[in-house]
Amino acid sequence: MSKRRWRAVSGPVVLGIESSCDETGAGIVQDGKLLAHVVASSMDEHARFGGVVPEIAARAHLHSFNPVVRQALDRAGLRLKQIDAVAVTTGPGLSGALQVGLAGAKTLAYAAGVPLYGVHHLAGHVAADTLEHGPLPDPCVVLIVSGGHTSLLLVRDLVREPILHLGDTLDDAAGECFDKVARILGLPYPGGPAIDRAARDGDPKAVAFPRPLTRPGDDPYAFSFSGLKTAAARWAEKHRQRGEEPPVADGAAALQEAVADVLTRKALAACRDYDVKTLVVVGGVAANSRVRALAERRCASAGIELRVPPMTLCTDNGAMIAAVGDLLVRSGAQPAPLNVSVDPSAPLEYASLTPLPAPLVKVS
C-alpha cells in the first residue's frame, strides 16, 4: 500500500466550520488562500416541507460533520495536527444547528490543541469574497442578500473595526420573498434558484410589480419585500379566480426584475453617497443571474468596481468562516473562551462573535 503524501505547510492554517442552517461546511484557509472546502446539504430533506425544519437540520449536521471535516482535510493534504486554529459560526442561525457545529469545533480545537474563534455568520459571507479577489478595499459597500438577511453595510477593516449598517430589511429578506412567491407559483423549494430558472423564459416587463421603499422620502438604504410578495400573490390569485393558471415564467421574471432593481439601485446609491468605489455583493441571492447582470451593468455605468464571489462561495460554506478565522488569527485577535456559546439572533456588529452562556438563576 502506498503511503499518503501530506501537504507541507508553513503559515497559519485555519479550519472553518459552518452549520447555521441546512449546510454542513468545512473549509481550510491559509494566509488568505483557500486550500479546500466541502459542503453537505440537507436541502432535499427539507424540500417536501417547503422550508428548513430545525430538527431535521440538526440531525443532518450530526450525520455529516465528521465526513465533511475528513474530506476537507484530505483535499488539503493535511492532518488535524497541522491545523493552527479552528473557527466556527456561533450565530446567527438555528439554535440546534449552531450547537452541533460549535460542539464539533470545540472537540477539534481541543484535540488539536489550538485556539477556537467564534465567527458571525454574515461576516463570513463578506469574507468569502476575499478568497477570490483578495483583501477588501477600505472602505467598501457590501450588499448581503440571502434567505434570511438583506443588508447594506459600510465595511472598513472587517475584523478590527465595527461594521456600519446603512440599511437592513424591515420585514422579508430578498431570498425569503423568492421562497414564498415560488411556493405560490407552484415552484419547488428552494425558491431562489427555481425563480431564476423559470424567469429565463419570461418577460420581466409582463407584470408591473412595485419597487418597495424607492419613492422620494423613503429610507434610501432600507429594504422591504413583504409588500412585493403580497403583490405577487394577488397577481396569481386574480388569474386563478378567472379559472386559469398564472403565467409562471412571466411572473418569475417580473418578480426577479423588481428585486434586482431595488437591491442594485439602493446599493449604488450608498456607493455614491459615501464616495465608495467598490461594491461587494454576497450571500445566496448573489448567485441570482439577474441580480448579477444588473449589478454589473449599473456598476460599469457608475464607474464602480463590482466584486461577487464565485457561485460555490455565495451559499453557506465553511470556507467563508475559515476566511474570517484566518483574518482574526493574522490580526492577533483573542480567541474565544472555553465556555463560548451560540447566539441564534446575533446582530452584525463585529466579525468575531463569542457570546457566553446566560448565568443560571436560582428559583427559591
Side-chain angles (χ1 to χ4, degrees):
M1 182 181 293
S2 61
K3 294 183 178 180
R4 184 190 299 271
R5 292 185 177 180
W6 297 101
R7 188 181 187 278
V9 297
S10 55
V13 178
V14 180
L15 170 65
I17 302 296
E18 158 62 23
S19 69
S20 65
C21 193
D22 60 344
E23 280 98 7
T24 310
I28 300 175
V29 171
Q30 179 186 25
D31 294 330
K33 304 297 181 184
L34 179 60
L35 303 185
H37 88 105
V38 177
V39 177
S41 175
S42 59
M43 187 180 296
D44 291 344
E45 299 178 55
H46 304 283
R48 61 196 177 103
F49 300 102
V52 176
V53 180
E55 292 81 2
I56 292 176
R59 287 198 296 270
H61 290 308
L62 281 169
H63 177 76
S64 300
F65 186 92
N66 284 339
V68 163
V69 171
R70 282 199 301 268
Q71 288 178 48
L73 288 169
D74 284 346
R75 290 183 185 180
L78 296 171
R79 298 183 180 93
L80 181 60
K81 68 180 183 180
Q82 292 173 288
I83 297 297
D84 296 294
V86 177
V88 60
T89 302
T90 48
L94 302 174
S95 179
L98 290 168
Q99 292 284 6
V100 173
L102 178 58
K106 283 183 176 181
T107 302
L108 292 173
Y110 180 81
V114 299
L116 177 73
Y117 292 84
V119 171
H120 196 289
H121 174 78
L122 296 182
H125 277 302
V126 179
D129 183 73
T130 67
L131 299 175
E132 178 71 12
H133 300 116
L136 293 170
D138 179 3
C140 61
V141 168
V142 177
L143 173 64
I144 298 180
V145 274
S146 67
H149 304 275
T150 302
S151 298
L152 264 177
L153 313 172
L154 183 66
V155 176
R156 296 189 181 278
D157 188 310
L158 181 62
V159 297
R160 289 186 175 92
E161 297 186 30
I163 296 165
L164 176 62
H165 285 247
L166 303 179
D168 298 283
T169 185
L170 303 179
D171 40 59
D172 288 356
E176 186 178 2
C177 177
F178 281 149
D179 284 340
K180 290 178 177 178
V181 175
R183 185 184 299 181
I184 292 167
L185 297 179
L187 296 173
Y189 176 85
I195 291 285
D196 203 352
R197 289 191 298 270
R200 296 170 189 166
D201 300 319
D203 178 4
K205 298 180 180 179
V207 189
F209 285 138
R211 270 54 170 173
L213 295 183
T214 57
R215 295 174 300 182
D218 288 338
D219 188 323
Y221 311 130
F223 299 95
S224 171
F225 293 105
S226 179
L228 178 58
K229 170 205 66 183
T230 301
R234 288 176 176 170
W235 169 80
E237 182 182 9
K238 287 179 180 178
H239 279 276
R240 288 173 178 142
Q241 286 175 343
R242 296 196 297 263
E244 60 189 37
E245 281 300 306
V248 172
D250 286 346
L255 177 78
Q256 184 171 261
E257 187 68 22
V259 171
D261 182 21
V262 172
L263 292 174
T264 56
R265 190 188 303 189
K266 288 177 175 282
L268 267 293
C271 290
R272 179 181 62 250
D273 294 346
Y274 283 84
D275 194 25
V276 172
K277 300 301 182 185
T278 303
L279 171 64
V280 183
V281 183
V282 298
V285 180
N288 179 271
S289 63
R290 185 53 184 159
V291 171
R292 283 177 174 249
L294 194 55
E296 288 174 2
R297 193 185 80 194
R298 288 181 169 173
C299 282
S301 297
I304 301 294
E305 178 193 12
L306 175 66
R307 292 175 39 154
V308 185
M311 302 280 276
T312 56
L313 295 179
C314 284
T315 53
D316 295 350
N317 61 85
M320 68 187 197
I321 304 305
V324 178
D326 173 61
L327 292 172
L328 289 169
V329 171
R330 289 192 281 148
S331 72
Q334 288 294 315
L338 293 177
N339 62 336
V340 63
S341 185
V342 301
D343 185 349
S345 57
L348 178 58
E349 297 173 341
Y350 293 90
S352 178
L353 180 62
T354 56
L356 300 179
L360 295 176
V361 178
K362 291 185 178 181
V363 178
S364 58

